[in-house]
Amino acid sequence: MCVCCCGSTDSVRLVHGSSLCSGRLEVRSNQSWSSVCEEDLDLNDAQVVCRELGCGAPGLLQGGLYGEGEAPVWTSELQCEGNESAVLDCRRSSSAGKTCSPGPAAGLTCSDPGGVRLVGQPSRCAGTLEIQHQGQWRPVVDPFKDWDLKSGSAVCQHLDCGSVVSVDSTDDSTDRPVWRVSVPCVKLTSGPRDCVELADYYKHSSGVVVVCSDLLPQPNISLSDGVFEVYRQGFRVLVGSDFTVTCSVRPQYPGGSFRLISDTEKPLNLTLTAVNHSAHFLLSSMGYAHRGNYTCVYHVDVYNRSFSSSQSPALYLTVRDLVTHLIIRVVVVHFLLIMGTISLFFYCRVSSLLYSAH
């Protein structure tokens, strides 16, 4: 039986583990699941996998612990930086025809998320506080308005969601089972689930809404137009050509804007409004002043506050000079013609000698 950690993602899963957050790692690509080689999984990759699955920090990385890979081997190697929100946001390199021999398929154990979650909002780092206790998920009640920024900070830290931004109460007029939590205990222990005092039914009870700073996923950056070619860890753009850098983010909140930053000779700091969760920055006449790293930052106003994402992975651009490129091509063509002529000469000479011998 396959056990998929948290069942909350269509791109990555852990199978054949003893809990929801452990098992052999498989990645979904082209509508099918593939195993990952143990040698291709490092701590940064594991952090992103555990985060995407809603689990805690990665613990044990061990191949073969959860059986040999039954699925085909994934032909790409993850190159996560560790702060991405999902595996699909990570860079990857292709290794067509790769096998895991002699190493086994990657196994991963993430720590228990601790039975604490924020629900009801697009981000896992904002929403109504719920705690799992005695096998049941219930919202936390705040009848005396005791919850403040310090207790909310313990929740954000527990969820690896940065620092607390706000803690508010929400009124709910329905009868429902809830958990009551000792706020002084939360402030001291930073383990909200260990501070449950009482389970009961409350009418017109007040819930707890927590908003943490790491609300937004890391944006993506790509080169979408222009005459370019892959060059080492980036792209080489033809000098004089126009090119477009695209910033995008997984759909979460509507609106917002993207900022494009560069460490080039003439640094860029451009802002465009997000349309369909992306923005396209058209840059004209590629020149040597454009060489350098480009990154995107996503901004959005929600909960009456402004939030900014972490920077995207860096996109490195360099220049391909047209004259130099043409000279290299001419040299290569002439070299091939000379080598072809020499080969033909020796072929004809050998054929002539063989014919004379007969």
Side-chain angles (χ1 to χ4, degrees), residues 1 3 15 98 108 137 150 154 179 196 217 219-220 223-224 268 282 314 323:
M1 179 181 70
V3 180
V15 300
K98 184 173 187 140
L108 174 62
W137 283 100
K150 188 172 181 180
W179 298 124
V196 174
N220 299 311
L223 190 62
S224 54
L268 297 178
L282 175 61
V323 175

Side-chain angles (χ1 to χ4, degrees), residues 87-104:
V87 166
L88 294 181
D89 296 334
C90 297
R91 288 187 176 184
R92 68 198 72 174
S93 61
S94 179
S95 304
K98 184 173 187 140
T99 66
C100 282
S101 179

Side-chain angles (χ1 to χ4, degrees), residues 182-240:
S182 168
V183 174
C185 170
V186 172
K187 293 178 179 179
L188 290 173
T189 65
S190 75
R193 193 175 63 168
D194 299 329
C195 299
V196 174
E197 282 185 335
L198 165 69
D200 207 339
Y201 284 83
Y202 283 84
K203 190 172 184 179
H204 302 286
S205 60
S206 178
V208 180
V209 177
V210 180
V211 177
C212 307
S213 61
D214 291 356
L215 192 72
L216 304 176
Q218 184 186 41
N220 299 311
I221 187 169
S222 61
L223 190 62
S224 54
D225 285 311
V227 182
F228 60 87
E229 61 187 5
V230 177
Y231 175 75
R232 295 180 182 175
Q233 295 300 315
F235 296 93
R236 186 157 50 189
V237 182
L238 183 65
V239 66

Side-chain angles (χ1 to χ4, degrees), residues 23-154:
R24 189 179 66 249
L25 176 61
E26 292 186 354
V27 176
R28 190 171 188 178
S29 177
N30 297 325
Q31 306 302 314
S32 62
W33 291 98
S34 301
S35 298
V36 176
C37 292
E38 180 189 16
E39 62 188 28
D40 293 342
L41 185 72
D42 61 19
L43 183 58
N44 287 342
D45 304 331
Q47 286 176 334
V48 178
V49 171
C50 293
R51 182 179 299 119
E52 180 176 357
L53 293 172
C55 302
L60 183 66
L61 281 75
Q62 184 173 345
L65 185 63
Y66 302 103
E68 296 299 321
E70 299 169 1
V73 176
W74 198 36
T75 57
S76 296
E77 179 182 349
L78 289 175
Q79 295 178 340
C80 301
E81 295 184 2
N83 55 3
E84 296 88 348
S85 301
V87 166
L88 294 181
D89 296 334
C90 297
R91 288 187 176 184
R92 68 198 72 174
S93 61
S94 179
S95 304
K98 184 173 187 140
T99 66
C100 282
S101 179
L108 174 62
T109 299
C110 309
S111 62
D112 191 317
V116 178
R117 67 186 182 187
L118 300 174
V119 300
Q121 297 296 327
S123 171
R124 74 175 189 88
C125 292
T128 301
L129 176 61
E130 290 188 353
I131 287 181
Q132 186 184 42
H133 183 64
Q134 297 176 349
Q136 297 184 34
W137 283 100
R138 296 181 183 180
V140 172
V141 68
D142 186 24
F144 307 113
K145 312 297 183 192
D146 292 331
W147 280 81
D148 57 16
L149 290 177
K150 188 172 181 180
S151 49
S153 177

Side-chain angles (χ1 to χ4, degrees), residues 161-196:
C161 285
S163 58
V164 65
V165 173
S166 66
V167 177
D168 297 302
S169 297
T170 177
D171 293 326
D172 191 341
S173 60
T174 59
D175 289 336
R176 57 178 182 168
V178 296
W179 298 124
R180 198 172 81 191
V181 173
S182 168
V183 174
C185 170
V186 172
K187 293 178 179 179
L188 290 173
T189 65
S190 75
R193 193 175 63 168
D194 299 329
C195 299
V196 174

Side-chain angles (χ1 to χ4, degrees), residues 247-311:
C247 300
S248 61
V249 70
R250 287 188 296 111
Q252 196 177 71
Y253 297 99
S257 62
F258 287 95
R259 186 158 56 102
L260 179 65
I261 310 165
S262 74
D263 64 359
T264 52
E265 182 180 320
K266 295 180 179 180
L268 297 178
N269 195 335
L270 307 174
T271 300
L272 285 178
T273 300
V275 178
N276 294 327
H277 310 287
S278 64
H280 305 280
F281 294 85
L282 175 61
L283 303 177
S284 301
S285 301
M286 178 67 177
Y288 291 98
H290 290 106
R291 290 184 298 182
N293 290 302
Y294 294 74
T295 56
C296 298
V297 176
Y298 177 59
H299 304 273
V300 70
D301 293 334
V302 288
Y303 307 111
N304 298 317
R305 288 176 172 82
S306 295
F307 288 86
S308 298
S309 72
S310 59
Q311 287 189 350

